[in-house]
Structure formats: C-alpha cells, structure tokens
Amino acid sequence: MSIMCHDDETGNTHCHAFIQPIDQKGHLNASFFTDGKENGRSRYSRLQDSYAEVMCSLGLQRGMKGSKARHKDIKKFYTELNQAIENVPIPQKGELATDYYERFQEQLETLSAAYLKKGLERERAADEWVTRKINDYKKQIHLEHQNQKQLLEQNLRTLSLQVIESRTHYQEAEHKIQETSAMYQQLIDNKEQELSALTNQLQEIQDLILNYENEYRTMNVADFLALLKEDTPIYQSLAAIDPESTQLLSTFQDRFQNHLQQAEPEPDQRF
C-alpha cells in the first residue's frame, strides 16, 4: 500500500513498507504468506530466502535458518553504540594526525577483535544448540527404532512359539491316528483269523460228515446214537475241532432220544 524511507538515523537508513496480503483467491489472508508449508518448506522461511537473494548484492546475508536467536532490543543496541563511540580515542594536544590514526586504528582493531570474539561465541553457541538438537533427534530416532525392534522380536518369538505348539499338536494327532489305525488293523486281522479258523472248522465238519455219510447212511437209530457217544471217533474228532460242538452234540442226542421215545420207532428203523 505504501513505502516510507527513513534517513534520519545515521548509519541506519531503512524503509517501512505497508503491504496488503491478498492470497491467490483474492482474499485478505496474511496467514497464507506466513503460516503452513508449501512443498515441504515453511512459507515464512521462503519469504526470508527470497528477500536474502534480492539483498545479497548489497552485502546482506540471510540469518541462520531455524535459529532461536532473538533480536536485540533497540535501546540496548543504541546504548552499546554510544559506549563504543565514547571509547573512541580523543586526539591529544600536539598529536600528529598520523599518530592519532595509528592509535585510533589500534583501538578499532581491539574493538573489532572483541566483537569478532562475541560473534564467534554466538556462532559456537548456535552450533552447539544445533548439535544438541541433532543429537536429541538421533537419540529419539534410535529409541523409537529400538522399541520397534523389540516389538518385532517379541512378535517373532510369539509366532515361533505358536508354530512349535501347532507342530507339536499335529505330531501328537498324527501319532494318535497311527496308533488308532494300527489298533483297528490288528482288530481286523484278528477277526479275519477267527473267521478263517471258523471257516476251516466248518469245512472240516462238512468233510467229516461227508466221510461218514455213506458209511452210516443205512445205520439204524440205536447204532447212530451209540456212534455219537463220548468214546466214539466222531465225537472225539468234533471235540478236537471245536469243544463247544460237543455240547451241541449232547443237546442233539437228548432231543433226538426224546423224539424217538415219543414216536416209539421200531429198533431196526432206518433213517
């Protein structure tokens, strides 16, 4: 809106500029130029960079980026300036200009060295501050990295234990399946052996019956019953094949004998 030049202060010529902050949308918006970031950089810092680029031809240098230094109070600045002026040596009576110049030059060099020392101390302090901040940031990153590493290692150990436990359960289940399969196979084998033995016994009985069929086909009832007594070969053969068959044979004898008594057959009756 306006620019005013101030030239009333010796060695401190400067300007005051009044600027109306209008953003890209045509709105009055000062925070658009000072707050937030643009392309990862602070907008206010970008303004300071652009100002330094324009003023570098006049010997001005940009201040330290991110510095926490504060501007010196104007009253304190003028006090120090007046003290420096008071320390300027006064020409002595009868002193030559060349001698005064040399003495003044020595005093100026002393003051310059003192200010240079203060400047170096401020730069050293700023460097130390930056170094501390960098070290703190590194420690923070290292601590976060260690925490993440410990968390990942803990999760890895937990997963490893779960895998081992699952593998153990699987092996136990597989072992039980094998034991059950072996037990059922043994049971099947035993039943097959029993069935085979019964089949063989049945076949032997059938063969025995066939062997005696023709021989005793015309035998009368009394002789047949006598043949089935305990001391006969057929009874002993059946007992050797299956002991339980003798009980069936005795039951058969009793029932057949009762049937004969009820029917009262002839002694020489054939069957």
Side-chain angles (χ1 to χ4, degrees):
M1 296 177 64
S2 67
I3 298 178
M4 184 180 297
C5 180
H6 287 196
D7 197 15
D8 56 340
E9 300 175 8
T10 304
N12 189 26
T13 302
H14 60 280
C15 295
H16 290 269
F18 293 90
I19 301 174
Q20 187 175 15
I22 304 298
D23 60 14
Q24 296 177 349
K25 297 181 180 180
H27 299 157
L28 183 64
N29 186 3
S31 62
F32 177 79
F33 298 94
T34 58
D35 298 344
K37 292 184 178 181
E38 183 178 355
N39 296 328
R41 296 176 58 191
S42 171
R43 289 194 176 101
Y44 199 64
S45 179
R46 291 172 64 90
L47 287 176
Q48 293 175 336
D49 292 341
S50 62
Y51 180 79
E53 291 176 0
V54 175
M55 302 303 292
C56 65
S57 60
L58 301 178
L60 296 180
Q61 296 181 356
R62 191 197 189 288
M64 182 180 297
K65 292 184 179 181
S67 174
K68 300 298 181 180
R70 296 183 178 180
H71 292 288
K72 185 178 295 184
D73 183 71
I74 188 65
K75 292 182 179 180
K76 185 177 181 181
F77 172 76
Y78 280 120
T79 299
E80 293 179 356
L81 181 60
N82 292 330
Q83 290 177 354
I85 294 175
E86 291 176 357
N87 292 329
V88 174
I90 300 174
Q92 298 178 1
K93 186 177 180 180
E95 185 178 17
L96 297 176
T98 55
D99 295 336
Y100 174 75
Y101 175 78
E102 291 178 358
R103 188 161 58 87
F104 179 80
Q105 191 68 24
E106 291 177 358
Q107 184 70 18
L108 182 61
E109 291 177 356
T110 302
L111 293 175
S112 298
Y115 279 107
L116 179 60
K117 181 180 179 181
K118 290 183 179 180
L120 292 176
E121 290 177 353
R122 286 194 295 269
E123 290 181 0
R124 188 181 301 109
D127 292 339
E128 291 176 355
W129 179 85
V130 172
T131 302
R132 286 197 303 271
K133 289 297 182 180
I134 293 175
N135 291 334
D136 293 341
Y137 182 68
K138 288 182 178 179
K139 290 180 181 179
Q140 182 180 359
I141 293 177
H142 179 71
L143 181 60
E144 292 177 356
H145 175 71
Q146 290 296 328
N147 293 335
Q148 293 178 357
K149 182 180 179 181
Q150 292 177 359
L151 181 60
L152 291 175
E153 290 177 350
Q154 183 178 359
N155 293 336
L156 181 60
R157 287 194 296 269
T158 302
L159 290 175
S160 299
L161 293 176
Q162 291 177 355
V163 170
I164 294 174
E165 185 178 359
S166 300
R167 186 178 298 170
T168 302
H169 291 335
Y170 173 78
Q171 292 176 352
E172 292 176 354
E174 186 178 13
H175 182 67
K176 289 181 179 179
I177 291 174
Q178 292 177 354
E179 289 181 349
T180 305
S181 299
M183 182 179 65
Y184 278 111
Q185 186 63 40
Q186 183 65 32
L187 181 61
I188 292 172
D189 294 340
N190 294 338
K191 293 300 181 180
E192 288 180 351
Q193 292 177 0
E194 293 177 0
L195 179 61
S196 178
L198 291 175
T199 303
N200 293 333
Q201 292 175 3
L202 179 61
Q203 185 64 40
E204 291 178 0
I205 292 173
Q206 290 177 350
D207 294 341
L208 183 62
I209 292 173
L210 291 175
N211 290 333
Y212 287 100
E213 183 178 9
N214 295 327
E215 182 178 354
Y216 301 104
R217 182 178 297 277
T218 59
M219 185 180 295
N220 57 33
V221 175
D223 294 337
F224 178 75
L225 292 176
L227 184 64
L228 298 179
K229 292 182 179 181
E230 295 182 359
D231 56 348
T232 59
I234 187 172
Y235 185 92
Q236 294 177 358
S237 298
L238 291 174
I241 295 173
D242 186 5
E244 294 182 357
S245 63
T246 58
Q247 184 177 359
L248 295 176
L249 188 60
S250 299
T251 303
F252 171 76
Q253 289 177 346
D254 295 338
R255 290 183 179 180
F256 195 76
Q257 185 67 36
N258 292 333
H259 177 72
L260 291 178
Q261 291 176 359
Q262 293 176 3
E264 295 181 355
E266 295 295 331
D268 58 348
Q269 183 179 358
R270 308 297 177 177
F271 65 95

